[in-house]
């Protein structure tokens, strides 16, 4: 009996219910895959680390549980269990791993604290969630999703973390059945893809890899161990093991992440060609390809919506807020926070508090500013803030929202004040990357000329903080934005279009329709006794790298 077995023989979960007794073999690899935080996967550690000290159980009983190894080595150990299942053609190694992890989490004893609400959180200091606490949150949620009993110790730990880290209650009891908040949305989407695949589909994906591997060392590393289609057909859950093992290995080697999934897109595109021929259409695989082209939005709440609302001297402001609240809070189920008449320091403070770990689980971020402004500044209580430097840029630099869609909606005038012109030049030099040197078939979708020039310099590990950001403005630079007793033309039109099409089409398509409708409305402005007819022209700028579609409202 090895060290692991000796530990398990001496430890048991409290209560008479066996967590694993009702879990089907098909669900074991899925549950463990969903428990992974892809951001912690690393390609720098080798499988050799899985032996010796890194594979042994430590004696410490701290936040990391009975396991003394790091989170990265824990993920590598999980990969080894997936690999062993494929070699042995059975699920037992993963069942044992799941039991080990549950035992580990039962040993964590976080400090308790009073519960909190979303509003009160913005007046508290930031709190960071450690790896062990995040694991407890995910596993508790997953056990509920799979309708498994949650061990008493883990449930108590979960409640303590929710309290001490001031995670809003809206992500707990009010969630709909089967929904997730703490599980990485990219994993949720991949799991849905995995559920739709047949054993033959998974086997053919490995066949495609075999063909690609002739000229690609990374692809060759993904092929071990060899698969047998007959085993994938007959052993319950082995098909899922093979698919998730492939995805986890690609994550570890930094071949994919939640944003860059074009290598998976390539595999499924090749699968469609293999099954149906060149140029063929298939609703199933085409649906997978469409899903991979979108930002993963799978959590509940799907995002956080912040509203900075200036009411002083702005008739119709309350009507605008009511429409935005109805759409985002009631229909799209976003966590919703409003700050009325904020000062510049209050806005900066609220943005700073978004760095707290409790806000990392939102799949998207929406920020509204409704007030007066000019081209450079937005007017706040007793002062002003720079549009970009003090509102947009600080939000985009928050770690939790890198690679996630960040949408800004600015209802404010952009009249000319202190206009300054400047020019700059920059010499660009491409830097060869070491993380993504692959055969042509694995590269991003682009023409051959672009591939020849840039493909060897692509790097998925670094993302510009301004990427994945969309900013929609009520009016073009140097012009006014209309507003009346019943609210503003821009907010009226934007809410109307988002309500109808936001969950069906990309946000860019919706905004094009907003621009069209706003520009059709004829406006009248009286100045110095003269009536002037004019039209308002909204616009947006976007660095979104995937399609963003709001979640479908619940009926």
């Amino acid at each position: 009996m090895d060290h692991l077995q000796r530990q398990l023989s001496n430890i048991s979960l409290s209560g008479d219910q066996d967590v694993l007794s009702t879990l089907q073999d098909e669900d074991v690899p899925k549950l463990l895959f969903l428990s992974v935080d892809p951001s912690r996967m690393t390609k720098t550690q080798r499988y050799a680390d899985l032996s010796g000290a890194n594979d042994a159980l430590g004696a410490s009983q701290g936040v990391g549980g009975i396991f003394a190894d790091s989170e990265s080595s824990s993920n590598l150990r999980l990969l080894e269990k997936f690999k062993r299942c494929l070699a042995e053609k059975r699920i037992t190694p993963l069942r044992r791993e799941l039991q080990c992890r549950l035992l580990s989490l039962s040993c964590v004893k976080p400090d308790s604290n009073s519960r909190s609400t979303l509003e009160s959180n913005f007046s508290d200091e930031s709190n960071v969630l450690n790896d062990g606490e995040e694991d407890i949150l995910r596993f508790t949620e997953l056990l509920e999703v799979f309708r498994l009993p949650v061990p008493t110790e883990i449930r108590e730990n979960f409640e303590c973390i929710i309290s001490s880290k001031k995670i809003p209650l809206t992500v707990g009891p009010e969630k709909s059945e089967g929904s997730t908040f703490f599980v990485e949305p990219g994993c949720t989407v991949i799991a849905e893809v995995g559920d739709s695949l047949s054993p033959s589909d998974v086997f053919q994906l490995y066949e495609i890899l075999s063909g690609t591997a002739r000229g690609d060392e990374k692809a060759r590393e993904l092929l071990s161990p060899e698969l047998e289609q007959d085993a994938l057909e007959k052993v319950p859950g082995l098909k899922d093991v093979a698919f998730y093992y492939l995805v986890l290995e690609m994550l570890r080697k930094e071949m994919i992440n939640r944003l860059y999934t074009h290598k998976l897109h390539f595999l499924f595109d090749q699968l469609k060609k293999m099954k149906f021929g060149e140029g063929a259409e298939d609703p199933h695989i085409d649906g997978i390809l469409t899903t991979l082209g979108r930002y993963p939005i799978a959590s509940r709440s799907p995002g956080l919506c912040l509203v900075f609302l200036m009411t002083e001297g702005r008739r119709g402001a309350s009507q605008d807020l009511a429409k935005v609240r109805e759409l985002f809070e009631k229909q799209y189920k976003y966590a919703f926070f409003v700050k009325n008449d904020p000062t510049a320091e209050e806005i900066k403070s609220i943005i700073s508090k978004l760095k707290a770990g409790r806000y990392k689980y939102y799949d998207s971020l929406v920020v509204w500013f409704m007030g007066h402004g000019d081209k450079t500044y937005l007017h706040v209580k007793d002062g002003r803030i720079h549009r970009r430097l003090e509102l947009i840029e600080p939000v985009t630099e928050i770690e939790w929202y890198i690679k996630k869609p960040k949408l800004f909606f600015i209802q404010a005038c952009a009249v000319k004040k202190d206009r300054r012109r400047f020019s700059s030049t920059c010499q660009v030099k491409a830097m060869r990357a070491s993380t993504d040197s692959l055969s042509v078939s694995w590269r991003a979708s682009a023409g051959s000329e672009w591939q020849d020039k840039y493909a060897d310099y692509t790097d998925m590990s670094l993302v510009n903080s301004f990427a994945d950001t969309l900013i929609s403005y009520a009016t073009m630079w140097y012009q006014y934005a209309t507003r009346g007793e019943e609210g503003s033309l821009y907010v009226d039109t934007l809410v109307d279009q988002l309500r109808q099409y936001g969950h069906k089409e990309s946000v860019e398509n919706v905004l094009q329709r907003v621009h069209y409708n706003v520009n059709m409305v004829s406006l009248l402005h009286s100045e110095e006794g003269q009536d002037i007819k004019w039209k308002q022209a909204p616009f947006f700028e976007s660095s979104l790298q995937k399609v963003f579609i709001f979640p479908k409202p619940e009926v």
Side-chain angles (χ1 to χ4, degrees):
M1 180 181 291
D2 61 18
H3 188 56
L4 172 62
Q5 291 173 317
R6 288 196 299 272
Q7 289 282 349
L8 292 178
S9 66
N10 295 324
I11 304 175
S12 62
L13 297 172
S14 63
D16 297 326
Q17 291 179 307
D18 183 359
V19 177
L20 299 178
S21 62
T22 59
L23 186 62
Q24 297 181 356
D25 284 346
E26 294 89 337
D27 289 332
V28 174
K30 181 179 178 180
L31 191 156
L32 283 168
F33 173 76
L34 289 172
S35 72
V36 169
D37 180 354
S39 66
R40 299 182 197 160
M41 298 295 292
T42 175
K43 69 169 187 174
T44 57
Q45 290 198 249
R46 303 176 180 177
Y47 279 116
D49 292 337
L50 295 170
S51 60
N54 277 350
D55 194 39
L57 291 173
S60 65
Q61 301 291 326
V63 174
I66 62 175
F67 298 111
D69 54 0
S70 67
E71 180 64 24
S72 58
S73 60
S74 176
N75 285 331
L76 288 174
R77 187 182 64 248
L78 178 61
L79 261 174
E80 180 66 17
K81 301 300 183 182
F82 271 89
K83 186 177 180 180
R84 187 179 301 176
C85 285
L86 294 177
E88 298 178 2
K89 300 180 179 58
R90 60 186 187 136
I91 305 299
T92 304
L94 282 180
R95 280 193 175 274
R96 177 178 295 175
E97 177 67 14
L98 178 56
Q99 185 178 11
C100 289
R101 295 194 174 210
L102 293 176
L103 289 171
S104 172
L105 297 179
S106 298
C107 297
V108 182
K109 299 297 180 185
D111 294 329
S112 180
N113 204 334
S114 59
R115 290 188 179 274
S116 180
T117 64
L118 180 65
E119 285 75 17
S120 66
N121 284 347
F122 283 101
S123 62
D124 296 326
E125 292 299 320
S126 299
N127 288 289
V128 177
L129 289 158
N130 60 50
D131 294 347
E133 290 170 330
E134 290 191 42
D135 285 340
I136 289 174
L137 295 176
R138 277 195 299 273
F139 267 100
T140 303
E141 185 172 72
L142 285 171
L143 292 175
E144 292 175 341
V145 168
F146 283 84
R147 298 185 178 182
L148 299 171
V150 180
T152 302
E153 295 91 340
I154 295 180
R155 170 64 70 185
E156 291 175 352
N157 293 341
F158 178 87
E159 296 294 337
C160 286
I161 295 168
I162 293 293
S163 297
S164 63
K165 301 302 182 182
K166 303 184 184 302
I167 298 175
L169 282 177
T170 54
V171 305
E174 298 181 15
K175 292 198 303 175
S176 60
E177 183 178 351
S179 65
T180 60
F181 183 71
F182 302 111
V183 176
E184 162 64 35
C187 289
T188 301
V189 170
I190 293 297
E192 292 172 355
V193 171
D195 287 344
S196 72
L197 298 177
S198 68
S200 176
D201 289 336
V202 175
F203 184 78
Q204 286 179 306
L205 288 176
Y206 277 82
E207 289 286 290
I208 295 167
L209 277 174
S210 296
T212 304
R214 297 187 186 98
D216 192 326
E217 183 179 349
K218 282 189 178 181
R220 284 196 298 273
E221 294 175 358
L222 298 174
L223 291 174
S224 179
E226 294 185 4
L227 297 183
E228 296 178 8
Q229 185 171 355
D230 187 58
L232 297 184
E233 298 275 359
K234 293 181 178 179
V235 179
L238 198 62
K239 175 266 294 187
D240 304 281
V241 172
F243 178 65
Y244 295 134
Y245 172 77
L246 173 61
V247 174
L248 288 171
E249 274 285 42
M250 295 178 77
L251 286 167
R252 186 178 75 91
K253 292 175 168 55
E254 296 185 3
M255 298 173 72
I256 60 172
N257 55 41
R258 66 175 292 148
L259 182 62
Y260 298 120
T261 54
H262 54 276
K263 294 178 179 63
L264 276 178
H265 191 285
F266 162 76
L267 290 178
F268 283 104
D269 187 57
Q270 293 299 307
L271 176 62
K272 184 172 69 170
K273 292 178 182 178
M274 177 183 289
K275 294 178 66 174
F276 306 106
E278 188 75 31
E281 295 183 1
D282 174 64
H284 172 219
I285 298 181
D286 288 339
I288 292 175
L289 297 176
T290 297
T291 297
L292 293 176
R294 295 179 179 176
Y295 286 100
I297 306 294
S299 296
R300 162 119 183 179
S301 301
L304 176 61
C305 182
L306 301 180
V307 180
F308 299 113
L309 179 69
M310 307 307 301
T311 62
E312 296 179 0
R314 297 187 68 249
R315 58 181 183 175
S318 60
Q319 287 83 349
D320 277 349
L321 175 61
K323 296 164 190 170
V324 172
R325 183 188 292 275
E326 173 66 26
L327 177 65
F328 281 89
E329 185 175 34
K330 304 300 182 183
Q331 295 190 38
Y332 287 154
K333 305 300 181 183
Y334 270 63
F336 199 82
F337 176 79
V338 181
K339 183 62 179 178
N340 289 319
D341 298 312
T343 63
E345 289 305 313
E346 286 174 329
I347 291 178
K348 294 176 185 177
S349 176
I350 288 173
I351 294 174
S352 177
K353 292 187 190 317
L354 286 176
K355 299 175 183 177
R358 56 181 165 264
Y359 301 116
K360 71 180 297 181
Y361 299 105
Y362 294 109
D363 296 349
S364 61
L365 179 66
V366 176
V367 179
W368 287 80
F369 182 91
M370 292 184 265
H372 296 296
D374 55 57
K375 183 183 182 298
T376 305
Y377 295 96
L378 298 171
H379 301 170
V380 297
K381 185 176 181 179
D382 301 327
R384 63 183 187 177
I385 60 171
H386 195 284
R387 286 175 179 254
R388 288 197 176 272
L389 300 182
E390 296 178 286
L391 177 63
I392 298 171
E393 185 174 321
V395 170
T396 64
E397 292 178 344
I398 296 173
E399 178 186 356
W400 317 134
Y401 303 113
I402 300 294
K403 300 179 184 177
K404 294 182 181 180
K406 301 165 283 290
L407 312 181
F408 295 82
F409 299 105
I410 310 296
Q411 163 58 31
C413 294
V415 293
K416 177 181 177 181
K417 282 191 176 182
D418 302 326
R419 182 181 179 185
R420 292 183 296 175
R421 295 182 180 273
F422 65 93
S423 62
S424 65
T425 59
C426 178
Q427 182 178 2
V428 178
K429 183 179 180 180
M431 181 175 65
R432 183 173 294 275
S434 60
T435 61
D436 200 22
S437 181
L438 301 168
S439 61
V440 172
S441 59
W442 285 83
R443 295 172 180 171
S445 177
S448 58
E449 184 177 347
W450 189 95
Q451 295 279 12
D452 292 340
K453 191 173 183 179
Y454 295 109
D456 288 335
Y457 302 96
T458 58
D459 184 353
M460 297 191 304
S461 62
L462 180 65
V463 178
N464 187 301
S465 63
F466 269 112
D468 309 297
T469 301
L470 180 143
I471 311 166
S472 174
Y473 302 92
T475 185
M476 289 291 291
W477 300 133
Y478 313 129
Q479 296 188 0
Y480 293 93
T482 186
R483 175 178 41 79
E485 296 288 349
E486 299 301 318
S488 62
L489 173 60
Y490 169 74
V491 174
D492 277 346
T493 310
L494 179 55
V495 169
D496 172 72
Q497 293 300 307
L498 286 175
R499 182 185 298 113
Q500 294 187 69
Y501 303 105
H503 60 284
K504 302 176 183 178
E505 302 178 14
S506 71
V507 66
E508 289 99 335
N509 285 350
V510 174
L511 288 173
Q512 287 180 350
R513 197 178 286 109
V514 170
H515 300 174
Y516 186 93
N517 288 354
V518 168
N519 217 345
M520 285 196 302
V521 177
S522 181
L523 301 169
L524 186 66
H525 174 65
S526 296
E527 185 174 331
E528 297 180 354
Q530 183 179 2
D531 290 338
I532 303 173
K533 290 184 178 181
W534 66 290
K535 287 192 172 183
Q536 183 173 325
F539 78 106
F540 74 88
E541 51 189 4
S542 173
S543 62
L544 296 182
Q545 301 182 72
K546 284 194 168 188
V547 175
F548 177 80
I549 298 179
F550 285 97
K552 185 177 181 179
E554 296 181 3
V555 179

